[in-house]
Amino acid sequence: MKSWLSPRAAELKPSATLAISAKERELKSKGIDVVGFGAGEPDFPTPADIRAAAKLSLDRGETFYTPVAGIPALKKAVCDRMNSDYGVSYKPEDIVVSCGAKHSIYNTLQALIGPGDEVIIFSPYWVSYPEMIGLAGGKTVIVPTSEENRFLPDPSTLGDYVTSATKAILINSPSNPTGMVYPPETFQAIAKTAKDKDLLIISDEIYDKLIYDGIKFTPFAAQPDMMKRTITVNGVSKTYAMTGLRIGYLGSVIPEIVTAVTDIQSQSTSNPNSTAQAAAVEALCGPQHEVEKMRLIFESRRDLMLKGVNAIPGLSMQKPSGAFYAFVNCKKMYKGPIQNSGDFARYLLEKHHVACVPGGPFGSEDHIRLSFATDEDTIAKGLDRISTACRELS
Protein backbone atom coordinates (compact mmCIF):
# COMPACT_ATOMS: atom_id res chain seq x y z
CA MET A 1 0.00 0.00 0.00
CA LYS A 2 1.22 3.48 -0.86
CA SER A 3 2.60 5.53 2.04
CA TRP A 4 1.45 9.12 2.19
CA LEU A 5 4.12 10.18 4.66
CA SER A 6 7.23 12.14 3.83
CA PRO A 7 10.57 10.49 4.72
CA ARG A 8 11.11 12.95 7.56
CA ALA A 9 7.70 12.14 9.07
CA ALA A 10 8.20 8.41 8.65
CA GLU A 11 11.58 8.54 10.40
CA LEU A 12 10.51 10.86 13.23
CA LYS A 13 10.43 9.33 16.71
CA PRO A 14 7.73 10.39 19.17
CA SER A 15 8.76 12.15 22.36
CA ALA A 16 9.59 9.56 25.02
CA THR A 17 8.57 11.89 27.82
CA LEU A 18 5.17 12.65 26.29
CA ALA A 19 4.61 8.94 25.60
CA ILE A 20 5.19 8.11 29.26
CA SER A 21 2.82 10.88 30.34
CA ALA A 22 0.14 9.52 28.02
CA LYS A 23 0.53 5.98 29.41
CA GLU A 24 0.41 7.35 32.96
CA ARG A 25 -2.85 9.20 32.21
CA GLU A 26 -4.31 6.05 30.65
CA LEU A 27 -3.63 3.99 33.77
CA LYS A 28 -4.96 6.71 36.05
CA SER A 29 -8.17 6.87 33.98
CA LYS A 30 -8.70 3.22 34.90
CA GLY A 31 -8.50 4.05 38.59
CA ILE A 32 -4.92 2.85 39.08
CA ASP A 33 -2.82 4.78 41.60
CA VAL A 34 0.26 5.72 39.59
CA VAL A 35 3.17 7.69 41.03
CA GLY A 36 4.30 9.99 38.25
CA PHE A 37 8.01 10.80 37.97
CA GLY A 38 7.83 11.48 34.25
CA ALA A 39 6.60 15.05 34.07
CA GLY A 40 8.98 17.79 33.01
CA GLU A 41 6.98 20.62 34.50
CA PRO A 42 6.64 22.29 37.90
CA ASP A 43 3.69 21.12 39.98
CA PHE A 44 3.11 24.59 41.42
CA PRO A 45 0.29 26.88 40.30
CA THR A 46 1.29 29.82 38.15
CA PRO A 47 1.81 32.78 40.54
CA ALA A 48 -1.31 34.86 41.15
CA ASP A 49 0.04 38.11 39.74
CA ILE A 50 0.85 36.38 36.44
CA ARG A 51 -2.62 34.86 36.20
CA ALA A 52 -4.12 38.27 37.00
CA ALA A 53 -2.12 39.85 34.18
CA ALA A 54 -3.51 37.31 31.74
CA LYS A 55 -7.06 38.07 32.90
CA LEU A 56 -6.51 41.81 32.57
CA SER A 57 -5.23 41.32 29.04
CA LEU A 58 -8.39 39.45 28.15
CA ASP A 59 -10.54 42.11 29.78
CA ARG A 60 -8.78 44.73 27.65
CA GLY A 61 -9.72 42.73 24.57
CA GLU A 62 -6.14 41.90 23.61
CA THR A 63 -7.09 38.83 21.61
CA PHE A 64 -5.84 39.80 18.15
CA TYR A 65 -2.68 39.23 16.16
CA THR A 66 0.50 40.67 17.64
CA PRO A 67 3.81 41.27 15.87
CA VAL A 68 5.19 37.92 14.73
CA ALA A 69 8.31 38.15 16.92
CA GLY A 70 6.40 39.21 20.05
CA ILE A 71 4.94 42.34 21.57
CA PRO A 72 7.41 45.18 22.27
CA ALA A 73 6.71 45.11 26.01
CA LEU A 74 7.71 41.44 26.25
CA LYS A 75 10.85 41.83 24.15
CA LYS A 76 11.90 44.73 26.38
CA ALA A 77 11.09 42.67 29.48
CA VAL A 78 13.36 39.86 28.25
CA CYS A 79 16.20 42.33 27.68
CA ASP A 80 15.71 43.99 31.07
CA ARG A 81 15.65 40.66 32.91
CA MET A 82 18.80 39.39 31.16
CA ASN A 83 20.61 42.63 31.88
CA SER A 84 19.42 42.84 35.50
CA ASP A 85 20.19 39.21 36.34
CA TYR A 86 23.35 38.58 34.35
CA GLY A 87 24.63 41.83 32.83
CA VAL A 88 24.00 40.51 29.30
CA SER A 89 22.84 43.36 27.06
CA TYR A 90 20.41 42.39 24.33
CA LYS A 91 18.26 44.92 22.50
CA PRO A 92 14.55 44.32 21.72
CA GLU A 93 15.40 43.84 18.03
CA ASP A 94 17.65 40.91 19.06
CA ILE A 95 14.71 38.98 20.58
CA VAL A 96 12.20 36.62 18.96
CA VAL A 97 9.34 35.36 21.13
CA SER A 98 7.94 31.95 20.18
CA CYS A 99 5.55 29.26 21.41
CA GLY A 100 7.90 27.89 24.07
CA ALA A 101 11.66 27.36 24.27
CA LYS A 102 11.26 24.15 22.24
CA HIS A 103 9.73 26.19 19.44
CA SER A 104 12.62 28.66 19.68
CA ILE A 105 15.15 25.85 19.27
CA TYR A 106 13.18 24.34 16.38
CA ASN A 107 12.99 27.69 14.58
CA THR A 108 16.70 28.30 15.16
CA LEU A 109 17.65 24.95 13.67
CA GLN A 110 15.34 25.51 10.72
CA ALA A 111 17.04 28.85 10.11
CA LEU A 112 20.61 27.56 10.45
CA ILE A 113 20.76 23.94 9.35
CA GLY A 114 20.47 22.45 5.90
CA PRO A 115 21.13 19.03 4.36
CA GLY A 116 24.53 17.73 5.43
CA ASP A 117 25.15 20.34 8.13
CA GLU A 118 26.28 18.92 11.47
CA VAL A 119 25.29 19.95 14.98
CA ILE A 120 27.26 18.73 17.99
CA ILE A 121 25.37 17.74 21.14
CA PHE A 122 26.55 16.12 24.36
CA SER A 123 25.20 12.80 25.59
CA PRO A 124 23.05 12.42 27.65
CA TYR A 125 20.93 14.98 25.80
CA TRP A 126 17.34 16.17 25.74
CA VAL A 127 15.28 13.75 23.66
CA SER A 128 14.10 16.34 21.12
CA TYR A 129 17.49 17.64 20.00
CA PRO A 130 18.37 14.87 17.51
CA GLU A 131 14.84 14.81 16.10
CA MET A 132 14.74 18.57 15.54
CA ILE A 133 18.18 18.52 13.92
CA GLY A 134 16.99 15.72 11.64
CA LEU A 135 13.82 17.62 10.72
CA ALA A 136 16.04 20.46 9.55
CA GLY A 137 17.94 18.05 7.31
CA GLY A 138 21.04 18.05 9.48
CA LYS A 139 23.15 15.39 11.11
CA THR A 140 23.53 15.01 14.87
CA VAL A 141 27.09 14.44 16.09
CA ILE A 142 27.01 13.05 19.61
CA VAL A 143 29.88 13.67 21.99
CA PRO A 144 29.73 11.12 24.84
CA THR A 145 30.33 12.04 28.45
CA SER A 146 30.92 9.82 31.46
CA GLU A 147 29.02 9.58 34.70
CA GLU A 148 32.37 9.38 36.49
CA ASN A 149 33.09 12.89 35.18
CA ARG A 150 29.61 14.09 36.21
CA PHE A 151 28.43 14.01 32.59
CA LEU A 152 30.71 16.91 31.66
CA PRO A 153 32.36 16.86 28.22
CA ASP A 154 36.10 16.38 27.98
CA PRO A 155 37.38 19.65 26.49
CA SER A 156 40.53 17.98 25.19
CA THR A 157 38.53 15.79 22.79
CA LEU A 158 35.81 18.23 21.66
CA GLY A 159 37.75 19.42 18.63
CA ASP A 160 37.98 15.83 17.37
CA TYR A 161 34.24 15.88 16.61
CA VAL A 162 34.35 19.03 14.50
CA THR A 163 34.41 18.61 10.72
CA SER A 164 34.07 20.96 7.76
CA ALA A 165 30.31 20.32 7.94
CA THR A 166 29.94 21.35 11.60
CA LYS A 167 27.86 24.48 12.00
CA ALA A 168 26.91 24.68 15.67
CA ILE A 169 27.26 23.21 19.14
CA LEU A 170 23.99 22.85 21.06
CA ILE A 171 24.44 22.97 24.82
CA ASN A 172 22.01 22.65 27.73
CA SER A 173 23.01 23.81 31.20
CA PRO A 174 21.45 23.11 33.64
CA SER A 175 20.90 19.84 31.85
CA ASN A 176 17.83 17.81 31.11
CA PRO A 177 18.17 14.88 31.93
CA THR A 178 21.25 14.91 34.20
CA GLY A 179 20.70 18.14 36.15
CA MET A 180 24.39 19.00 35.75
CA VAL A 181 25.52 22.62 35.55
CA TYR A 182 28.58 23.27 33.41
CA PRO A 183 31.37 24.95 35.41
CA PRO A 184 33.13 28.05 34.02
CA GLU A 185 36.11 26.07 32.75
CA THR A 186 33.84 23.87 30.60
CA PHE A 187 32.13 26.92 29.10
CA GLN A 188 35.54 28.45 28.43
CA ALA A 189 36.74 25.33 26.62
CA ILE A 190 33.58 25.14 24.49
CA ALA A 191 33.92 28.84 23.68
CA LYS A 192 37.52 28.36 22.59
CA THR A 193 36.52 25.52 20.26
CA ALA A 194 33.72 27.64 18.80
CA LYS A 195 36.10 30.51 18.10
CA ASP A 196 38.90 28.31 16.78
CA LYS A 197 36.57 26.36 14.47
CA ASP A 198 34.25 29.27 13.54
CA LEU A 199 31.09 27.71 15.03
CA LEU A 200 27.84 29.00 16.51
CA ILE A 201 26.58 28.08 19.98
CA ILE A 202 22.90 27.39 20.64
CA SER A 203 22.57 27.65 24.42
CA ASP A 204 19.40 26.17 25.93
CA GLU A 205 19.12 27.89 29.32
CA ILE A 206 15.50 27.08 30.20
CA TYR A 207 16.46 25.89 33.73
CA ASP A 208 18.68 28.88 34.56
CA LYS A 209 16.73 29.80 37.72
CA LEU A 210 16.62 26.25 39.10
CA ILE A 211 20.15 25.90 40.47
CA TYR A 212 21.19 24.59 43.87
CA ASP A 213 24.04 24.53 46.40
CA GLY A 214 24.80 28.22 45.95
CA ILE A 215 26.05 27.77 42.40
CA LYS A 216 25.91 30.93 40.29
CA PHE A 217 24.56 30.68 36.77
CA THR A 218 26.23 32.56 33.93
CA PRO A 219 24.71 32.64 30.42
CA PHE A 220 26.96 31.35 27.68
CA ALA A 221 26.67 34.68 25.86
CA ALA A 222 28.54 36.27 28.78
CA GLN A 223 31.72 34.42 27.79
CA PRO A 224 34.33 36.83 26.34
CA ASP A 225 33.69 37.55 22.64
CA MET A 226 30.92 34.91 22.51
CA MET A 227 27.77 37.04 22.37
CA LYS A 228 28.24 37.44 18.62
CA ARG A 229 28.38 33.63 18.24
CA THR A 230 25.65 32.62 20.69
CA ILE A 231 21.92 32.11 20.24
CA THR A 232 20.47 32.15 23.76
CA VAL A 233 17.23 30.23 24.27
CA ASN A 234 15.05 30.55 27.35
CA GLY A 235 11.41 30.93 28.38
CA VAL A 236 8.99 31.30 31.25
CA SER A 237 7.75 27.70 31.48
CA LYS A 238 9.99 26.24 34.16
CA THR A 239 10.91 29.34 36.17
CA TYR A 240 7.35 30.64 36.58
CA ALA A 241 5.34 27.39 36.32
CA MET A 242 3.82 28.48 32.99
CA THR A 243 4.35 25.35 30.88
CA GLY A 244 0.90 25.38 29.29
CA LEU A 245 1.09 29.04 28.30
CA ARG A 246 3.89 28.27 25.80
CA ILE A 247 6.12 31.33 25.78
CA GLY A 248 9.80 31.00 24.96
CA TYR A 249 12.30 33.31 23.35
CA LEU A 250 15.71 33.53 21.78
CA GLY A 251 18.30 36.27 21.76
CA SER A 252 20.86 36.83 19.02
CA VAL A 253 22.89 39.87 17.95
CA ILE A 254 23.16 38.43 14.42
CA PRO A 255 20.42 40.29 12.47
CA GLU A 256 20.16 37.73 9.65
CA ILE A 257 19.40 34.96 12.17
CA VAL A 258 16.73 37.03 13.90
CA THR A 259 15.16 37.88 10.55
CA ALA A 260 15.25 34.28 9.33
CA VAL A 261 13.70 32.93 12.54
CA THR A 262 10.99 35.59 12.41
CA ASP A 263 10.21 34.78 8.77
CA ILE A 264 10.04 31.05 9.50
CA GLN A 265 7.67 31.73 12.38
CA SER A 266 5.56 34.02 10.19
CA GLN A 267 5.01 31.15 7.76
CA SER A 268 4.25 28.54 10.42
CA THR A 269 2.63 29.64 13.69
CA SER A 270 2.63 33.43 13.25
CA ASN A 271 2.69 35.23 16.61
CA PRO A 272 2.70 33.49 20.00
CA ASN A 273 -0.49 33.58 22.08
CA SER A 274 -1.37 37.20 22.88
CA THR A 275 -2.74 36.52 26.38
CA ALA A 276 0.26 34.40 27.30
CA GLN A 277 2.58 37.18 26.18
CA ALA A 278 0.88 39.60 28.57
CA ALA A 279 1.29 37.05 31.36
CA ALA A 280 4.98 36.64 30.47
CA VAL A 281 5.56 40.40 30.74
CA GLU A 282 4.30 40.28 34.33
CA ALA A 283 6.38 37.16 35.03
CA LEU A 284 9.60 38.88 33.96
CA CYS A 285 8.83 42.37 35.29
CA GLY A 286 6.82 41.58 38.41
CA PRO A 287 7.85 40.29 41.85
CA GLN A 288 10.39 37.45 41.76
CA HIS A 289 9.98 36.06 45.28
CA GLU A 290 7.86 33.11 44.08
CA VAL A 291 10.77 32.01 41.88
CA GLU A 292 13.07 31.69 44.88
CA LYS A 293 10.34 30.01 46.92
CA MET A 294 9.89 27.33 44.27
CA ARG A 295 13.65 26.91 43.86
CA LEU A 296 14.12 26.22 47.57
CA ILE A 297 11.35 23.61 47.52
CA PHE A 298 12.91 21.92 44.50
CA GLU A 299 16.27 21.85 46.26
CA SER A 300 14.70 20.14 49.28
CA ARG A 301 13.03 17.60 46.99
CA ARG A 302 16.35 17.04 45.23
CA ASP A 303 17.95 16.15 48.53
CA LEU A 304 15.15 13.73 49.37
CA MET A 305 15.40 12.06 45.96
CA LEU A 306 19.20 11.81 46.16
CA LYS A 307 19.17 10.20 49.60
CA GLY A 308 16.32 7.84 48.71
CA VAL A 309 17.69 6.62 45.39
CA ASN A 310 21.20 6.00 46.70
CA ALA A 311 19.73 3.99 49.59
CA ILE A 312 18.21 1.46 47.16
CA PRO A 313 20.61 -1.45 46.45
CA GLY A 314 21.37 -1.61 42.75
CA LEU A 315 20.53 2.03 42.00
CA SER A 316 22.69 5.15 42.15
CA MET A 317 22.66 8.74 41.00
CA GLN A 318 24.92 11.76 40.81
CA LYS A 319 23.87 14.83 42.74
CA PRO A 320 22.13 17.16 40.25
CA SER A 321 23.08 20.81 40.59
CA GLY A 322 20.08 22.16 38.68
CA ALA A 323 16.74 21.49 36.97
CA PHE A 324 14.41 18.94 38.63
CA TYR A 325 15.57 15.55 37.38
CA ALA A 326 17.36 12.57 38.88
CA PHE A 327 19.26 10.55 36.27
CA VAL A 328 19.37 7.16 37.96
CA ASN A 329 21.86 4.45 37.04
CA CYS A 330 19.93 1.18 37.00
CA LYS A 331 22.13 -1.15 34.92
CA LYS A 332 22.55 -3.54 37.88
CA MET A 333 18.83 -4.31 37.52
CA TYR A 334 19.25 -5.66 34.00
CA LYS A 335 18.65 -9.38 34.28
CA GLY A 336 16.25 -11.92 32.80
CA PRO A 337 13.57 -10.18 30.70
CA ILE A 338 14.86 -6.73 31.71
CA GLN A 339 17.78 -5.87 29.45
CA ASN A 340 17.62 -2.10 28.97
CA SER A 341 16.16 1.13 30.33
CA GLY A 342 12.92 0.70 28.38
CA ASP A 343 12.34 -2.73 29.89
CA PHE A 344 13.02 -1.43 33.39
CA ALA A 345 10.73 1.59 32.94
CA ARG A 346 7.91 -0.64 31.68
CA TYR A 347 8.43 -3.00 34.62
CA LEU A 348 8.17 -0.13 37.09
CA LEU A 349 5.04 1.22 35.44
CA GLU A 350 3.15 -1.99 34.76
CA LYS A 351 4.08 -3.97 37.88
CA HIS A 352 4.63 -1.28 40.49
CA HIS A 353 2.77 1.69 39.04
CA VAL A 354 5.67 4.13 38.98
CA ALA A 355 6.04 6.23 35.84
CA CYS A 356 9.54 7.28 34.79
CA VAL A 357 11.31 7.92 31.48
CA PRO A 358 13.82 5.41 30.07
CA GLY A 359 17.30 6.73 29.47
CA GLY A 360 17.72 5.33 25.97
CA PRO A 361 16.05 8.26 24.20
CA PHE A 362 18.36 10.58 26.19
CA GLY A 363 21.41 8.71 24.93
CA SER A 364 22.06 6.35 27.85
CA GLU A 365 20.61 2.86 28.25
CA ASP A 366 22.14 2.63 31.73
CA HIS A 367 19.71 5.14 33.25
CA ILE A 368 16.14 6.17 33.88
CA ARG A 369 15.00 9.75 34.53
CA LEU A 370 12.91 10.56 37.59
CA SER A 371 11.41 14.04 37.90
CA PHE A 372 11.21 15.50 41.40
CA ALA A 373 8.71 18.12 40.29
CA THR A 374 6.19 16.61 42.68
CA ASP A 375 5.54 16.81 46.42
CA GLU A 376 7.70 15.08 49.02
CA ASP A 377 5.03 12.58 50.07
CA THR A 378 4.71 11.42 46.47
CA ILE A 379 8.49 11.17 46.13
CA ALA A 380 8.68 9.03 49.27
CA LYS A 381 5.84 6.78 48.10
CA GLY A 382 7.37 6.36 44.65
CA LEU A 383 10.81 5.55 46.02
CA ASP A 384 9.28 2.96 48.34
CA ARG A 385 7.65 1.28 45.32
CA ILE A 386 10.90 1.39 43.36
CA SER A 387 12.74 -0.14 46.31
CA THR A 388 10.23 -2.99 46.40
CA ALA A 389 10.56 -3.46 42.65
CA CYS A 390 14.36 -3.68 42.87
CA ARG A 391 14.22 -6.20 45.73
CA GLU A 392 11.98 -8.39 43.60
CA LEU A 393 14.59 -8.37 40.84
CA SER A 394 17.49 -9.22 43.18
Side-chain angles (χ1 to χ4, degrees):
M1 182 178 176
K2 182 178 181 179
S3 173
W4 299 105
L5 298 180
S6 68
R8 65 178 176 274
E11 295 171 3
L12 185 66
K13 298 175 184 177
S15 167
T17 52
L18 296 181
I20 288 294
S21 295
K23 181 64 175 177
E24 178 185 340
R25 287 193 297 271
E26 178 188 340
L27 291 175
K28 286 181 176 179
S29 71
K30 297 176 181 178
I32 298 173
D33 175 28
V34 178
V35 173
F37 287 145
E41 64 177 347
D43 59 319
F44 303 106
T46 304
D49 64 306
I50 299 173
R51 287 181 277 131
K55 294 174 186 176
L56 285 173
S57 177
L58 288 170
D59 289 342
R60 290 192 297 263
E62 296 170 349
T63 57
F64 299 95
Y65 290 131
T66 76
V68 169
I71 59 176
L74 180 50
K75 295 169 77 169
K76 182 179 184 301
V78 170
C79 295
D80 290 348
R81 178 55 54 196
M82 287 289 289
N83 189 38
S84 173
D85 290 352
Y86 304 122
V88 174
S89 298
Y90 284 111
K91 299 175 181 178
E93 57 264 33
D94 301 328
I95 306 300
V96 181
V97 181
S98 301
C99 306
K102 178 187 281 189
H103 189 209
S104 296
I105 296 169
Y106 179 86
N107 285 345
T108 298
L109 291 168
Q110 289 293 319
L112 297 179
I113 305 305
D117 289 336
E118 296 178 353
V119 180
I120 290 174
I121 65 173
F122 302 112
S123 174
Y125 45 77
W126 183 42
V127 294
S128 293
Y129 291 153
E131 301 305 318
M132 289 194 285
I133 293 167
L135 283 170
K139 176 185 175 183
T140 301
V141 176
I142 298 173
V143 176
T145 67
S146 68
E147 188 167 5
E148 292 71 25
N149 195 38
R150 294 183 56 78
F151 301 111
L152 297 175
D154 180 355
S156 67
T157 65
L158 180 55
D160 298 341
Y161 294 86
V162 179
T163 72
S164 60
T166 308
K167 205 160 191 181
I169 302 173
L170 202 172
I171 62 176
N172 177 211
S173 175
S175 164
N176 175 7
T178 68
M180 296 306 158
V181 177
Y182 286 10
E185 56 269 25
T186 300
F187 268 11
Q188 290 162 11
I190 295 172
K192 184 178 186 304
T193 299
K195 286 185 281 190
D196 290 348
K197 304 292 186 179
D198 194 19
L199 305 176
L200 290 170
I201 298 293
I202 305 168
S203 184
D204 180 354
E205 300 175 1
I206 191 65
Y207 297 98
D208 67 324
K209 294 297 189 294
L210 297 178
I211 295 186
Y212 316 121
D213 306 316
I215 295 173
K216 179 178 173 59
F217 178 82
T218 302
F220 197 89
Q223 294 295 311
D225 299 321
M226 283 306 297
M227 193 161 182
K228 60 187 177 183
R229 291 186 178 273
T230 303
I231 298 101
T232 301
V233 176
N234 210 320
V236 298
S237 295
K238 315 296 184 179
T239 300
Y240 301 99
M242 296 172 63
T243 49
L245 293 177
R246 308 310 305 136
I247 294 294
Y249 49 83
L250 66 82
S252 172
V253 297
I254 306 172
E256 64 178 338
I257 292 179
V258 173
T259 298
V261 167
T262 302
D263 289 345
I264 288 169
Q265 186 159 294
S266 75
Q267 297 292 5
S268 53
T269 61
S270 192
N271 65 271
N273 180 286
S274 57
T275 305
Q277 288 187 72
V281 171
E282 173 62 22
L284 294 168
C285 296
Q288 301 295 302
H289 60 273
E290 288 293 328
V291 175
E292 176 62 7
K293 180 180 176 181
M294 288 188 281
R295 190 197 67 80
L296 289 171
I297 293 172
F298 279 131
E299 186 167 18
S300 176
R301 293 171 176 180
R302 185 278 310 264
D303 294 340
L304 177 64
M305 181 71 81
L306 178 69
K307 181 179 179 180
V309 166
N310 285 329
I312 299 174
L315 301 185
S316 64
M317 62 174 279
Q318 293 278 352
K319 184 180 184 181
S321 300
F324 39 64
Y325 306 111
F327 206 48
V328 178
N329 190 309
C330 55
K331 62 182 178 181
K332 291 182 179 179
M333 294 294 105
Y334 297 171
K335 56 192 72 176
I338 298 176
Q339 293 298 311
N340 55 47
S341 64
D343 293 340
F344 188 56
R346 279 189 295 274
Y347 165 72
L348 291 178
L349 182 59
E350 294 172 1
K351 301 296 184 181
H352 295 273
H353 303 147
V354 175
C356 64
V357 186
F362 294 103
S364 176
E365 282 293 357
D366 290 343
H367 297 82
I368 56 172
R369 192 196 75 175
L370 305 179
S371 167
F372 49 86
T374 189
D375 64 88
E376 294 193 358
D377 288 343
T378 299
I379 292 172
K381 180 166 71 171
L383 290 176
D384 184 62
R385 292 183 183 185
I386 292 174
S387 179
T388 299
C390 291
R391 284 199 303 272
E392 290 182 2
L393 290 175
S394 298

